[in-house]
């Protein structure tokens, strides 16, 4: 009888621990939205892009050319 009670007690403790962990992890304060333009508006700022340098563009083009060459071989 004691072994059966211990089995149910451990299962209940595991379930309570899982529920508490889920509640704690789901209440984190991570903000998924981008910053607002001001506090009274519903409009959000778009992220500002960066223009790649000539060196970065050359690296991307080289990688693209390498990919195209590998794909075109059959």
């Amino acid at each position: 009888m004691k072994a059966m009670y211990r089995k149910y007690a451990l299962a209940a403790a595991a379930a309570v621990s899982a529920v508490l962990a889920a509640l704690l992890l789901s209440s984190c304060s991570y903000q998924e939205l981008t910053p607002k333009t001001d506090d009274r508006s519903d409009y959000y700022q778009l992220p500002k892009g960066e223009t790649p340098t000539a060196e970065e563009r050359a690296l991307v083009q080289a990688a693209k050319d390498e990919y195209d060459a590998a794909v075109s071989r059959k």
Side-chain angles (χ1 to χ4, degrees), residues 61-73:
Q61 188 61 43
K64 185 178 180 290
D65 292 341
E66 180 181 352
Y67 172 78
D68 289 341
V71 170
S72 66
R73 279 192 248 159

Side-chain angles (χ1 to χ4, degrees), residues 8-70:
Y8 289 127
L10 288 174
V16 169
S17 297
V19 168
L20 286 175
L23 287 174
L24 288 174
L25 291 174
S26 67
S27 65
C28 59
S29 63
Y30 176 70
Q31 184 66 280
E32 291 186 18
L33 299 175
T34 58
K36 288 185 177 183
T37 54
D38 85 33
D39 292 336
R40 297 166 295 181
S41 90
D42 291 331
Y43 299 104
Y44 292 92
Q45 296 174 355
L46 293 175
K48 294 181 179 160
E50 297 178 7
T51 305
T53 64
E55 182 179 327
E56 291 170 333
R57 283 193 298 266
L59 286 172
V60 170
Q61 188 61 43
K64 185 178 180 290
D65 292 341
E66 180 181 352
Y67 172 78
D68 289 341

